[in-house]
Amino acid sequence: MENKNVWHNVEQGSDDWFNLRLAQVTASKISDIMAKTKSGYSTSRANYMAELLNERLTGQRKEGFTNANMERGTTLEPIARSAYEVFTGYTVETIGFIQYDGLAFGGSPDGVIERDAEGNANSIEIKCPLADNHWVTILANEIPSQYRYQLLGQLALTGGKWVDFVSFNNELPEALQIKVIRFNRDELAIADMLREIRLFLTELDELENKALELISDGINNDYLKFIQRELF
C-alpha cells in the first residue's frame, strides 16, 4: 500500500523539527493517550491534552525536561545506530519527522531501512539505558512494555513490516553492548491505536473551541488557565 504520510528531512532537535511537532500527537506520547485504569482513562491522557491545548492556543511548545541520562542517550544514539548497522548489516537512513496523512499525529524514527517503491520502510527505535535496565532487556529477551505504543505508532507512520528495538549500553563488554528485538506489524493493534488518537484529537478540538469562546468573551489569560485546569 502506498505510504501517503509526509516525510520531512529536517534535523531532529532543530527549530524546524520542533515547529513540525508543535501541537501534534507524537509517537513517543501515545502511551499517555492509551493508558487506562480500572475507572477509565489515566490522568496522563488529560495532562497531555492540556499540554497540546496550550500549544494550540499559544503557538509555543512546552519546554522539555532533560537530565543526565537523557543527554547521555542523545550522545550515544549515533554510536548505537552505527553499532546496529555493523550488527545487522543494514544501512540506516536518518529521518527528521513523519506526518501522518490527514491527522495531527507524527513521529521521528531513529532510522529507517529498506524504503520501498511505495514509500514504506522498516525502522529502528534506539534506547540507551543504564547498565541495569539494559541487562533486564537482555535477560528477559523482550521489549519493555512502556514502548509498545511508540513502536506501533512508528509502524503506522513508516508503513513498515517491522521495527527493530535497539537497546545499547557502551559500558558493557562489546559482545553485550547491543540487544536487538524485532517488533512486527500488527494491523489490528494499529487500527485500535489510531481510533484512540482520533477520539483524543476530536476531544481536543472541542476543548479548544470552548477555550476560544472564553477568549472571545474577554476572559484574561490567567483565568483561562484556571478554567483549563477545571475542565480536567
Side-chain angles (χ1 to χ4, degrees):
M1 182 181 297
E2 181 184 358
N3 189 327
K4 296 182 180 179
N5 301 331
V6 181
W7 296 51
H8 297 276
N9 289 311
V10 297
E11 182 181 353
Q12 293 191 23
S14 66
D15 288 342
D16 288 340
W17 182 75
F18 281 116
N19 288 336
L20 287 168
R21 289 167 51 91
L22 188 69
Q24 302 281 312
V25 170
T26 57
S28 61
K29 298 285 283 185
I30 297 174
S31 59
D32 287 343
I33 295 174
M34 304 295 292
K36 294 182 179 179
T37 65
K38 292 181 179 180
S39 59
Y41 289 113
S42 170
T43 56
S44 66
R45 185 178 188 272
N47 291 338
Y48 187 39
M49 190 175 293
E51 178 183 327
L52 293 186
L53 175 65
N54 189 64
E55 290 187 0
R56 285 188 176 191
L57 294 175
T58 66
Q60 301 294 320
R61 66 181 176 88
K62 179 180 178 181
E63 291 297 327
F65 170 79
T66 60
N67 56 34
N69 288 339
M70 295 171 69
E71 291 175 0
R72 173 180 172 277
T74 300
T75 300
L76 287 177
E77 183 179 306
I79 300 173
R81 189 181 295 110
S82 295
Y84 173 84
E85 290 182 315
V86 172
F87 184 78
T88 64
Y90 290 129
T91 298
V92 180
E93 174 190 352
T94 56
I95 182 70
F97 188 78
I98 305 175
Q99 174 71 54
Y100 195 85
D101 182 42
L103 200 62
F105 159 51
S108 302
D110 291 326
V112 294
I113 306 155
E114 300 175 349
R115 193 172 186 189
D116 63 25
E118 294 185 320
N120 300 304
N122 299 316
S123 57
I124 63 172
E125 179 60 38
I126 297 170
K127 304 297 180 186
C128 298
L130 296 177
D132 52 352
N133 289 328
H134 183 64
W135 269 115
V136 168
T137 300
I138 291 175
L139 296 174
N141 194 31
E142 61 183 29
I143 298 168
S145 60
Q146 66 264 35
Y147 301 122
R148 178 173 183 266
Y149 284 113
Q150 182 178 8
L151 300 181
L152 284 171
Q154 194 159 303
L155 287 167
L157 294 164
T158 63
K161 296 179 180 178
W162 50 261
V163 50
D164 272 349
F165 178 86
V166 181
S167 182
F168 180 79
N169 184 288
N170 65 338
E171 298 170 350
L172 273 64
E174 185 174 354
L176 296 171
Q177 288 182 359
I178 188 168
K179 176 66 176 177
V180 179
I181 306 174
R182 182 151 296 178
F183 185 87
N184 291 310
R185 189 177 187 86
D186 183 333
E187 296 291 359
L188 292 178
I190 290 173
D192 179 65
M193 176 195 69
L194 289 173
R195 279 194 296 271
E196 289 287 347
I197 292 174
R198 288 189 175 96
L199 176 61
F200 175 86
L201 289 170
T202 296
E203 294 177 16
L204 178 57
D205 289 341
E206 294 170 352
L207 190 57
E208 182 184 16
N209 289 335
K210 291 178 182 179
L212 291 173
E213 288 177 6
L214 293 173
I215 293 173
S216 67
D217 289 339
I219 296 177
N220 65 46
N221 287 335
D222 289 339
Y223 189 62
L224 176 58
K225 292 177 182 178
F226 171 77
I227 293 296
Q228 289 172 355
R229 290 195 298 271
E230 290 302 299
L231 285 172
F232 292 102

